[in-house]
Amino acid sequence: MRQKAKIEKYDAPAGGWGSLSAVAHILTQEEVALLGSEILLKQNKAGGFMCVSCSWAKPAEPRMFEFCENGAKATAWEITGKTVTADFFAQHTLTELRAWSDHQLEEKGRLTTPMRYDPGSDKYLPVDWSEAFREIGAELNALDPRSVIMYTSGRASLEASYMYQLFGRMYGTNNFPDSSNMCHETTSVALPEVIGVPVGTVLLTDFDETDCIFFFGHNTTTNAPRMLHPLQEAAQRGVPIVTFNPLRERGLERFVNPQSPVQMIAGGTRISSQYHQVRIGGDAAAIAGICKWIVESDDLARTNGGPRVVDVAFIEQHTAGFDEFAAFCRAQDWGQIERASGLSRTAMLDAANTYMAANAVIANYGMGITQHKHGVETAKMIVNLLLLRGNIGKPGAGISPIRGHSNVQGQRTVGISEKTKLVPLDKLAELYGFEPPRWDGLSTVDACEGILKGDVRGFVSLGGNFVRAIPERSLMEPAWSGLRLSVQIATKLNRSHIVPGEVTYLLPCLGRIEIDQQASGPQAVSMEDSTTCIHGSRGQRQPVADNLLSEPAIVAALAKATLGPNPAVDWDAWVADYAQVRDAIERTYPDQFKDFNERMFEPGGFPRPLPARERKWKTPNGKANFTVPKAAFAPPRDGDGIYELMTMRADGQFNTTIYTEDDRFRGIQGSRYVVLMNPADMEDDGLKSGDTVTLVTEAGDGVERSLSELQVVPYDIPRKSLAGYYPECNGLIPLWHYAEGSKVPAAKSVPVRLFQDMIPEIIEGGEIPISTG
Ligand SMILES: Nc1nc2c(c(=O)[nH]1)N[C@H]1C(S)=C(S)[C@@H](COP(=O)(O)OP(=O)(O)OC[C@H]3O[C@@H](n4cnc5c(=O)[nH]c(N)nc54)[C@H](O)[C@@H]3O)O[C@H]1N2
Ligand SMILES: Nc1nc2c(c(=O)[nH]1)N[C@H]1C(S)=C(S)[C@@H](COP(=O)(O)OP(=O)(O)OC[C@H]3O[C@@H](n4cnc5c(=O)[nH]c(N)nc54)[C@H](O)[C@@H]3O)O[C@H]1N2
Ligand SMILES: [Mo]
């Protein structure tokens, strides 16, 4: 039986005293209370270290404490004094560890010694670094490079990532799936087609100049909390913030800056001025409604000879496809849009009127948009909305996809991509005198398919927890053991490490907050935030163990053990001095990284140049493109007993890293095995709060996907919608259920049926439950 969750409505604002006590708690739990508070002062400041949690921008003039509750948790989690040694592995077989929870595994502390899996004893045994590298090199050379995956989770630095992709390409593969393939790849596919860049266009300073903010599908409260500061400042200036989210997320309602005594007393600021509880997957329809009203208001203005509503000069000079898009908007039926969005016409008119009254609008979005079957089209709908009034490429305006991991955007910038068109292969060939593979590599979903089919034989993981982050758990975990080679470079023990292949290595590395001492002295690394700004980061803490290597050192050693010598790449010199890697990055991307080493510690970071910011459109037709969605907006399901399940993050986690079992802002404590449900749906299904249910995926492909003993929590969520936690619910998501065009798993709308669990005592007693009804 699972532990019961305690449910208590959370009425306090986000931030505030609750945040302070949560920070104190985690520092104590990780046994770093004093050291931790000292190190936190260096967080997200020029010359200090860049937070290992989210990728939100770091201001040029930081606050005294430029971190949030969750950034502090991430720091404490990394600099913990707790360690996992060879002794630990001598005591536990992997079979035994597979019964542990994600929290229990990581909570043991930092990995300290390189380990090799011994199938005979089912245990990890210690191995010398040099032996590990030699054997991995030999294994890689025995495999076809096309059958090897080189995964990255978006935390590794620009330096480590650049070296990793170069190593992989010299080895002969373009199989570089990244956590981005489960995240904002939808953005990277949608935006180039319509505005000619794969990333957002806003800078932090745009938040000072904007006069309206739209917000789609992002839980800022827990997932980019520092962003609440610019939002709060904007709200205090009277800037309307229009939010679309099926759930009422606390931080998007009210926020108290825990670092401001005045606010702590005054009770904080209202953040959203409008809060639209859109249906799961209903955003494209909602935006169509908003655009319809804008286009029709413009039509009326034209008829009456009044001032135009759309930005005619911008549309004429800069865009293509406006007429088709306007015709599409006019043709929409309000009844249909209302059903598909779950919003009233009045609500959409309110949003549209607010949009039309503003001169400069920013549109932010997160996983609530990207992790949907039609996510690519919805991201393009957000662009349509912005283009109508020229809201891209002017101060205070722009599109702002809020990225996840702290360097996920940067990794794509320096060549971690399975898509060859995004990588300057000719330049790499010229600089390093080799012929890189020219075929497109495998994305995350492709890699999973390859593992299921047995075509993928080797998997190298630069961070992350692939096995736990991907969909289709019941098929993927068994298939994983069919791998010939699994190499896991990591800081903490997780599930991907204890599902071994035939030959498996676990290589412990330094974390970003640790001092990285190399031949030329302590090294800095760099990363790119969500707003294309590049920041240097210096480790602050002594490494937790003597035997750790940095990620660049591990990548270089793997490369040397695998590849023949190449006079154009001196791996040892690069490891001795990372500035040389940055020079190599600058040589590869001279426009993007001009004077990289000189500029890397500029306060606020230095922005990469972005053509769309200057209204230069690097699209095939040289224009910003309006697009008409191809798929019809789906109405809600009707009486078929199927629910849409979204899988999301709680306050107590960073992705598959589970700090605590609590979700403070949603009032849920002590268990993550819950399902949030509309009270009216509960009543229809005869459920009361605390009952447990089984969810079964409605897929029709013969694969059984179910999860039992989920405690029902009545919640303010639209009818026929459910919410559960990632990664607990990942086994419910079919591998083929992904965003069209980007292959991002559609983790935010999984069709499921719901059954009340039988009373456990009766099942345990072996009796057949008798209906009393
Ligand atoms: N503390 C902490 N910070 C993190 C992370 C973490 O786990 N913990 N993860 C990092 C990573 S890698 C990422 S990608 C980001 C993720 O940050 P988010 O994008 O916030 O991701 P989720 O928690 O999955 O939440 C998705 C939000 O979308 C809403 N939503 C779901 N479906 C829909 C829909 O159809 N329409 C709309 N409009 N909204 C919808 C949900 O209610 C929820 O508020 O955060 C990053 N930062
Ligand atoms: N159902 C569902 N599935 C999802 C999502 C969802 O919303 N719903 N979200 C998706 C998203 S947006 C993402 S980004 C992915 C995340 O997928 P991943 O990025 O693969 O997973 P993480 O949980 O971030 O990885 C955590 C592990 O990284 C390792 N680690 C931490 N720091 C370091 C470091 O500095 N170096 C190295 N080498 N290792 C380190 C630790 O061992 C830790 O256990 O999950 C995706 N999966
Ligand atoms: Mo992500």
Side-chain angles (χ1 to χ4, degrees):
M1 274 272 284
R2 294 203 171 107
Q3 183 167 342
K4 276 255 167 198
K6 198 170 130 216
I7 314 298
E8 218 165 7
K9 195 162 184 296
Y10 186 86
D11 278 327
W17 298 112
S19 266
L20 288 185
S21 87
V23 170
H25 178 79
I26 189 104
L27 291 174
T28 313
Q29 177 188 304
E30 294 310 308
E31 300 167 4
V32 289
L34 274 176
L35 171 73
S37 26
E38 219 171 87
I39 284 184
L40 285 170
L41 287 169
K42 310 265 178 63
Q43 191 150 329
N44 294 328
K45 304 220 176 108
F49 73 96
M50 293 302 133
C51 183
V52 296
S53 192
C54 82
S55 59
W56 184 242
K58 287 95 184 145
E61 288 164 24
R63 292 162 188 81
M64 175 152 76
F65 307 105
E66 187 56 43
F67 60 86
C68 66
E69 172 185 339
N70 282 334
K73 283 184 202 160
T75 298
W77 198 252
E78 179 166 307
I79 64 171
T80 180
K82 301 178 191 172
T83 54
V84 174
T85 59
D87 279 353
F88 170 87
F89 288 111
Q91 284 161 25
H92 304 285
T93 63
L94 296 205
T95 307
E96 203 187 317
L97 291 173
R98 281 196 290 275
W100 291 26
S101 71
D102 299 305
H103 172 76
Q104 286 169 319
L105 289 170
E106 277 210 35
E107 209 271 327
K108 280 289 152 203
R110 289 283 302 279
L111 297 166
T112 53
T113 319
M115 308 295 291
R116 175 179 46 202
Y117 178 60
D118 172 44
S121 61
D122 188 31
K123 286 179 176 171
Y124 271 116
L125 304 179
V127 60
D128 281 345
W129 278 111
S130 55
E131 205 177 316
F133 293 136
R134 198 172 51 246
E135 289 171 6
I136 295 167
E139 284 288 336
L140 285 173
N141 279 320
L143 291 171
D144 175 356
R146 276 187 184 255
S147 75
V148 174
I149 303 295
M150 296 188 63
Y151 175 68
T152 13
S153 160
R155 194 174 288 193
S157 64
L158 293 172
E159 293 80 357
S161 304
Y162 179 82
M163 291 169 71
Y164 191 63
Q165 63 83 34
L166 182 61
F167 161 40
R169 297 205 154 90
M170 293 177 92
Y171 166 60
T173 190
N174 281 319
N175 294 334
F176 289 106
D178 182 88
S179 58
S180 170
N181 287 106
M182 302 180 246
C183 188
H184 265 293
E185 192 62 19
T186 299
T187 296
S188 311
V189 168
L191 297 192
E193 289 176 32
V194 291
I195 57 169
V197 290
V199 295
T201 63
V202 302
L203 292 168
L204 201 46
T205 47
D206 287 315
F207 284 82
D208 303 333
E209 298 180 55
T210 189
D211 56 16
C212 176
I213 296 174
F214 270 58
F215 231 102
F216 299 93
H218 187 265
N219 182 14
T220 317
T221 327
T222 66
N223 295 333
R226 287 181 306 105
M227 190 179 182
L228 292 172
H229 295 143
L231 290 181
Q232 183 185 37
E233 281 158 19
Q236 284 166 344
R237 280 203 326 270
V239 170
I241 299 179
V242 182
T243 297
F244 297 81
N245 199 310
L247 301 181
R248 297 192 74 90
E249 302 288 26
R250 208 62 195 116
L252 293 170
E253 296 191 302
R254 273 199 102 64
F255 173 63
V256 173
N257 182 351
Q259 297 164 12
S260 156
V262 177
Q263 284 180 32
M264 293 288 265
I265 293 160
T269 314
R270 170 201 51 71
I271 298 293
S272 299
S273 49
Q274 292 176 31
Y275 207 114
H276 301 295
Q277 279 180 278
V278 67
R279 255 186 69 216
I280 291 182
D283 301 81
I287 299 167
I290 296 167
C291 291
K292 178 179 172 69
W293 187 243
I294 298 168
V295 166
E296 291 179 355
S297 303
D298 186 63
D299 289 344
L300 194 69
R302 213 167 5 180
T303 318
N304 297 343
R308 292 289 295 269
V309 174
V310 301
D311 184 339
V312 180
F314 173 81
I315 289 172
E316 281 177 0
Q317 191 189 340
H318 287 285
T319 71
F322 172 74
D323 291 341
E324 293 84 344
F325 180 68
F328 161 83
C329 291
R330 289 182 199 109
Q332 295 304 304
D333 172 72
W334 277 115
Q336 214 173 0
I337 289 183
E338 285 185 321
R339 280 191 300 280
S341 66
L343 300 179
S344 68
R345 176 176 170 170
T346 321
M348 289 180 269
L349 299 197
D350 282 350
N353 288 330
T354 305
Y355 176 86
M356 290 188 283
N359 290 318
V361 182
I362 291 174
N364 304 284
Y365 65 97
M367 297 298 102
I369 297 299
T370 64
Q371 294 178 336
H372 274 295
K373 198 154 175 268
H374 300 303
V376 172
E377 296 209 323
T378 307
K380 290 185 189 171
M381 280 300 282
I382 298 176
V383 171
N384 286 333
L385 172 65
L386 291 173
L387 292 180
L388 283 175
R389 286 177 52 85
N391 278 311
I392 296 191
K394 72 179 175 192
I399 187 141
S400 163
I402 306 162
R403 299 273 165 169
H405 269 291
S406 50
N407 192 35
V408 63
Q409 185 165 313
Q411 297 185 329
R412 290 312 212 193
T413 304
V414 295
I416 299 284
S417 177
E418 72 285 0
K419 299 184 178 79
T420 46
K421 67 173 184 212
L422 302 179
V423 185
L425 293 177
D426 291 336
K427 191 82 189 176
L428 293 176
E430 174 201 320
L431 286 172
Y432 303 111
F434 76 110
E435 186 40 48
R438 300 283 171 165
W439 40 271
D440 277 334
L442 304 180
S443 66
T444 287
V445 165
D446 301 330
C448 292
E449 286 169 353
I451 292 167
L452 288 176
K453 278 192 275 179
D455 298 345
V456 167
R457 303 294 298 134
F459 197 99
V460 183
S461 205
L462 185 59
N465 186 1
F466 190 83
V467 167
R468 198 68 177 116
I470 55 176
E472 204 78 278
R473 182 171 186 189
S474 65
L475 300 183
M476 286 309 301
E477 282 200 15
W480 197 262
S481 27
L483 287 175
R484 169 66 194 172
L485 176 68
S486 169
V487 179
Q488 302 285 334
I489 304 161
T491 51
K492 289 222 174 169
L493 187 62
N494 66 42
R495 187 131 191 122
S496 300
H497 310 153
I498 55 175
V499 186
E502 280 171 45
V503 177
T504 302
Y505 290 86
L506 180 52
L507 307 179
C509 65
L510 289 175
R512 188 189 299 159
I513 308 169
E514 286 169 317
I515 297 169
D516 182 353
Q517 189 69 42
Q518 302 293 347
S520 72
Q523 300 299 306
V525 291
S526 54
M527 43 237 53
E528 174 177 339
D529 70 26
S530 231
T531 64
T532 71
C533 290
I534 312 285
H535 305 263
S537 176
R538 279 188 201 289
Q540 305 291 326
R541 183 213 209 288
Q542 285 305 324
V544 71
D546 296 337
N547 202 16
L548 299 180
L549 293 183
S550 73
E551 289 180 327
I554 293 174
V555 173
L558 288 173
K560 281 183 11 177
T562 311
L563 310 172
N566 178 330
V569 194
D570 186 342
W571 296 102
D572 291 333
W574 282 7
V575 174
D577 179 9
Y578 299 174
Q580 295 198 23
V581 185
R582 289 186 285 276
D583 285 339
I585 294 174
E586 186 175 339
R587 277 195 296 277
T588 314
Y589 305 91
D591 305 334
Q592 302 289 314
F593 289 96
K594 194 170 169 334
D595 302 328
F596 191 177
N597 275 305
E598 290 77 70
R599 292 198 293 163
M600 70 185 281
F601 287 108
E602 273 177 23
F606 71 85
R608 291 194 291 119
L610 207 61
R613 235 177 239 150
E614 267 85 61
R615 295 193 165 173
K616 293 184 191 126
W617 315 103
K618 300 284 179 195
T619 52
N621 59 358
K623 298 279 184 189
N625 288 304
F626 284 96
T627 49
V628 171
K630 289 180 205 81
F633 304 131
R637 296 183 179 270
D638 207 5
D640 60 1
I642 295 175
Y643 286 84
E644 296 287 349
L645 169 75
M646 66 155 102
T647 60
M648 60 183 185
R649 291 153 174 81
D651 173 54
Q653 79 186 90
F654 188 89
N655 297 342
T656 68
T657 294
I658 311 300
Y659 308 123
T660 68
E661 307 284 323
D662 302 340
D663 195 357
R664 186 153 57 88
F665 300 116
R666 298 199 184 103
I668 300 166
Q669 279 171 43
S671 174
R672 297 172 48 86
Y673 286 89
V674 295
V675 54
L676 281 47
M677 191 172 181
N678 184 298
D681 286 331
M682 284 173 59
E683 198 174 319
D684 284 0
D685 284 354
L687 293 167
K688 51 186 193 320
S689 179
D691 283 349
T692 66
V693 295
T694 296
L695 298 184
V696 180
T697 307
E698 180 77 7
D701 61 356
V703 179
E704 203 189 301
R705 303 174 186 88
S706 69
L707 186 63
S708 294
E709 282 190 63
L710 292 166
Q711 185 178 334
V712 175
V713 175
Y715 209 84
D716 184 1
I717 182 172
R719 294 293 303 263
K720 296 317 244 185
S721 305
L722 302 173
Y725 290 124
Y726 144 62
E728 285 77 2
C729 291
N730 280 30
L732 292 169
I733 309 173
L735 186 57
W736 45 260
H737 184 63
Y738 52 67
E740 283 165 14
S742 70
K743 290 201 169 174
V744 168
K748 294 293 183 270
S749 62
V750 186
V752 294
R753 287 183 189 277
L754 175 145
F755 303 93
Q756 183 167 8
D757 287 338
M758 287 179 289
I759 306 163
E761 289 83 349
I762 297 180
I763 304 170
E764 277 161 23
E767 288 174 36
I768 298 162
I770 298 163
S771 163
T772 51

